[in-house]
């Protein structure tokens, strides 16, 4: 028995899912929809992560939705402010009544006969199985496992007598005041934790196997703050958005085309903030800029803490955990009352849902990505996967717009479904994401593939995606449409309509009927 049937079903009520629902409200106002969310709250990442200092790692003018201006003075925002922004969006577009919380989607089957998806979900409060059906499915589950992060098998960890915490499992009752803390990791989470904890802890050490590029960004956008005095909020927002997108893209392109120049600039900026006596070995990665994601720190807070001596960085490998801390390969032991394993995410695609098409299992890692928005061979399904070299939401917005445009296109023509079909020569061995980050490499076998050309390539470029997703032809010969099942909606020009009506009246009055 179907618990709920809607036109469009969204899985996930995080930043992407709430955004997709808002786009539906704006662009497909007559469509019914529902959102299935595994957790008991909306917000996704921004509700789940509670560790000290949690914040965006890119500016909110580009991480925010294209239809809702970010009005806070801080463009690098804390987690609570981002969560508030998501909830405001849900309120403005009356989305709350459409969200089904606490539902774990375990299976999803597409039926070509009924032109619909049927999702089986477990209500984790009641233990009951519920069924949702829809004509179109949008996956907004993010890219990682919400239940647990990634933690390596550290030798001797069972001997350690202190507290071990993964940031994904942080709770408000964790006390680190006046404690010696070791953070294992060097990514965005680690560089956020160190300055946030340094004021309260006795000392915080970031233990890394290898360095990461770290760049200072302004916490506030002073230009936008001044422009707000003279221009409407939406104008200021879109000016800042355009400027920051261009800046992000320029830095990325320079990093790829002039890696030595960008490396020199990044390391030079770090040196100036750390001081001449700091051991720069801890901030000199072995790889080129943007081979892995660049870490941003607002107003150089990480560098300030290190310069004051409230925190430190150690570059070494772990030999074993001891009773009181960590013994390194160099022979040095780091004493620690608490160890935080900021060791990354456990990547999961589609929330671990096993999709089938007409009863046949879909092997996601064998699918090609169509315009970075759909999967080959999977009908009426969009997958939101944001940019890794820019703000996530830039791509999420484009995929949602594309999906709404596609739904309206099919609706107008009475088409029940469409499916991207790849040819035998379209496939390639190219990775879905061109990043060397550990969490991406560990998940390479799960991710879909990209093709050799055209819409099968994942370009990770907002300026190239805009014309393709927002304006590109839908009937491109690659996206295959089913035969219409209803008479297409036709639009008759008003002048022709009035002429026809007038003629009909004349015929009736003169008796020629």
């Amino acid at each position: 028995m179907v618990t709920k049937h809607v036109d469009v079903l969204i899985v996930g009520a995080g930043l992407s899912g709430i955004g997709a629902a808002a786009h539906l409200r704006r662009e497909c106002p007559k469509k019914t929809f529902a959102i299935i969310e595994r957790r008991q709250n909306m917000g996704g990442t921004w509700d789940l992560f509670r560790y000290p200092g949690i914040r965006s790692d890119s500016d909110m003018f580009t991480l925010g939705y294209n239809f809702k201006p970010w009005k806070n003075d801080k463009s690098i925002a804390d987690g609570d402010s981002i969560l508030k922004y998501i909830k405001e969006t849900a309120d403005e577009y009356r989305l709350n009544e459409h969200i089904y919380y606490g539902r774990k989607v375990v299976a999803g089957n597409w039926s070509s006969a009924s032109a619909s998806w049927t999702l089986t979900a477990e209500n984790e409060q009641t233990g009951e199985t519920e069924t949702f059906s829809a004509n179109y499915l949008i996956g907004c589950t993010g890219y990682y496992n919400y239940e647990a992060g990634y933690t390596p098998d550290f030798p001797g960890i069972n001997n350690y007598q202190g507290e071990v915490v993964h940031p994904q499992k942080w709770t408000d009752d964790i006390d680190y005041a006046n404690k010696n803390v070791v953070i294992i990791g060097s990514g965005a989470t680690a560089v956020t934790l160190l300055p946030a904890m340094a004021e309260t802890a006795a000392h915080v050490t970031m233990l890394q196997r290898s360095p990461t590029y770290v760049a200072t960004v302004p916490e506030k956008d002073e230009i936008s703050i001044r422009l707000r005095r003279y221009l409407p909020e939406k104008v200021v927002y879109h000016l800042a958005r355009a400027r920051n997108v261009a800046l992000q893209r320029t830095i990325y392109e320079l990093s790829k085309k002039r890696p030595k120049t960008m490396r020199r600039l990044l390391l030079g900026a770090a040196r100036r903030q750390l001081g001449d006596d700091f051991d720069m070995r801890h901030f000199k990665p072995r790889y080129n800029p943007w081979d892995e994601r660049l870490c941003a720190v607002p107003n150089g807070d990480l560098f300030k803490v290190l310069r004051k001596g409230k925190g430190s960085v150690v570059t070494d490998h772990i030999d074993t955990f001891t009773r009181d801390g960590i013994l390194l390969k160099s022979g040095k032991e780091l004493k620690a009352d608490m160890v935080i394993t900021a060791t990354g995410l456990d990547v999961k695609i589609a929330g671990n849902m096993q999709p089938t098409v007409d009863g046949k299992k879909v092997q996601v890692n064998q699918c090609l990505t169509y315009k970075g928005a759909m999967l080959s061979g999977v009908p009426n399904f969009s997958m939101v996967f944001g940019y890794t070299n820019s703000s996530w939401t830039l791509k999420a917005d484009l995929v949602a717009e594309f999906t709404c445009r596609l739904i309206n296109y099919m609706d107008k023509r009475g088409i029940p479904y469409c499916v991207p079909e790849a040819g035998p020569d379209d496939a390639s061995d190219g990775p879905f994401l061109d990043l060397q980050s550990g969490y991406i490499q560990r998940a390479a076998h799960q991710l879909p593939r990209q093709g050799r050309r055209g819409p099968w390539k994942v370009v990770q470029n907002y300026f190239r995606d805009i014309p393709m997703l927002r304006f590109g032809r839908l009937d491109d010969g690659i996206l295959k449409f089913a035969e219409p099942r209803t008479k297409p909606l036709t639009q008759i020009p008003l002048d022709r309509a009035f002429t026809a009506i007038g003629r009909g009246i004349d015929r009736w009055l003169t008796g020629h009927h």
Side-chain angles (χ1 to χ4, degrees), residues 296-309:
V297 291
N299 294 344
D301 60 0
L302 173 70
F303 299 130
K304 291 174 182 176
V305 167
L306 295 177
R307 190 163 187 169
K308 292 176 181 177

Side-chain angles (χ1 to χ4, degrees), residues 437-448:
S437 303
Y439 68 98
I440 297 297
Q441 296 302 312
R442 289 192 300 271
H445 66 286
Q446 299 180 40
L447 300 173

Side-chain angles (χ1 to χ4, degrees), residues 264-284:
R264 187 165 60 249
L265 290 172
L266 289 167
L267 296 184
R271 162 71 75 187
R272 287 192 295 274
Q273 294 171 87
L274 289 165
D276 293 335
D277 57 344
F278 190 87
D279 186 354
M280 284 300 295
R281 182 172 56 94
H282 302 305
F283 286 95
K284 287 184 177 180

Side-chain angles (χ1 to χ4, degrees), residues 433-481:
L433 298 172
D434 187 19
L435 278 181
Q436 297 176 10
S437 303
Y439 68 98
I440 297 297
Q441 296 302 312
R442 289 192 300 271
H445 66 286
Q446 299 180 40
L447 300 173
R449 295 180 296 161
Q450 60 172 307
R452 299 178 184 276
R453 61 183 75 86
W456 302 113
K457 290 192 71 66
V458 181
V459 295
Q460 291 286 329
N461 186 332
Y462 184 64
F463 295 113
R464 289 178 62 184
D465 278 340
I466 286 176
M468 180 172 66
L469 289 169
R470 189 175 286 169
F471 305 111
R473 285 182 56 185
L474 295 173
D475 57 338
D476 58 1
I478 297 173
L479 194 59
K480 304 298 183 182
F481 294 95

Side-chain angles (χ1 to χ4, degrees), residues 249-513:
R249 190 66 207 174
T250 299
I251 292 172
Y252 180 78
E253 292 285 354
L254 282 174
S255 297
K256 291 299 183 181
K257 295 176 180 178
R258 300 284 188 271
K260 291 182 179 179
T261 300
M262 282 303 300
R263 178 181 173 87
R264 187 165 60 249
L265 290 172
L266 289 167
L267 296 184
R271 162 71 75 187
R272 287 192 295 274
Q273 294 171 87
L274 289 165
D276 293 335
D277 57 344
F278 190 87
D279 186 354
M280 284 300 295
R281 182 172 56 94
H282 302 305
F283 286 95
K284 287 184 177 180
R286 295 189 296 267
Y287 57 87
N288 288 326
W290 271 113
D291 283 350
E292 295 185 20
R293 191 171 172 90
L294 193 70
C295 287
V297 291
N299 294 344
D301 60 0
L302 173 70
F303 299 130
K304 291 174 182 176
V305 167
L306 295 177
R307 190 163 187 169
K308 292 176 181 177
K310 293 181 178 180
S312 56
V313 181
V314 173
T315 305
D316 209 327
H317 285 71
I318 295 172
D319 182 62
T320 185
F321 272 70
T322 65
R323 177 185 175 86
D324 301 317
I326 301 173
L327 180 65
L328 304 176
K329 293 286 188 182
S330 63
K332 180 181 179 180
E333 184 176 5
L334 296 177
K335 299 291 184 180
D337 303 304
M338 175 185 289
V339 172
I340 301 176
T341 54
T343 45
L345 303 167
D346 178 25
V347 174
K348 299 292 181 186
I349 297 297
N352 258 5
M353 176 185 75
Q354 177 55 65
T356 62
V357 171
D358 294 326
K360 184 179 179 181
K361 286 185 178 180
V362 174
Q363 302 297 328
V364 174
N365 61 356
Q366 297 301 310
C367 295
L368 300 186
T369 55
Y370 173 78
K371 297 187 176 182
M374 301 178 77
L375 297 178
S376 61
V378 184
N380 279 21
F381 173 69
S382 294
M383 181 182 71
V384 176
F385 199 106
Y387 293 121
T388 56
N389 61 358
S390 190
S391 291
W392 175 276
T393 322
L394 292 172
K395 183 63 174 286
D397 271 335
L398 287 177
V399 172
E401 289 179 26
F402 167 80
T403 300
C404 290
R405 193 160 66 94
L406 179 59
I407 289 171
N408 287 335
Y409 177 89
M410 291 193 294
D411 200 40
K412 181 180 176 181
R413 291 161 177 78
I415 298 171
Y417 66 90
C418 65
V419 56
E421 290 186 0
D425 297 329
D426 289 326
S428 78
D429 294 326
F432 176 60
L433 298 172
D434 187 19
L435 278 181
Q436 297 176 10
S437 303
Y439 68 98
I440 297 297
Q441 296 302 312
R442 289 192 300 271
H445 66 286
Q446 299 180 40
L447 300 173
R449 295 180 296 161
Q450 60 172 307
R452 299 178 184 276
R453 61 183 75 86
W456 302 113
K457 290 192 71 66
V458 181
V459 295
Q460 291 286 329
N461 186 332
Y462 184 64
F463 295 113
R464 289 178 62 184
D465 278 340
I466 286 176
M468 180 172 66
L469 289 169
R470 189 175 286 169
F471 305 111
R473 285 182 56 185
L474 295 173
D475 57 338
D476 58 1
I478 297 173
L479 194 59
K480 304 298 183 182
F481 294 95
E483 288 297 319
R485 292 187 178 178
T486 59
K487 188 176 181 180
L489 297 174
T490 57
Q491 293 182 338
I492 302 175
L494 285 178
D495 58 342
R496 288 176 56 193
F498 287 135
T499 299
I501 292 170
R503 287 175 179 170
I505 293 172
D506 285 342
R507 288 172 61 86
W508 185 82
L509 289 173
T510 57
H512 301 291
H513 53 275

Side-chain angles (χ1 to χ4, degrees), residues 221-237:
D221 188 330
E222 297 294 344
I223 296 174
S224 295
I225 291 172
R226 292 191 183 96
L227 285 177
R228 284 182 179 133
R229 302 173 190 170
Y230 312 104
L231 297 174
E233 191 71 54
K234 284 188 176 181
V235 174
V236 174
Y237 180 67

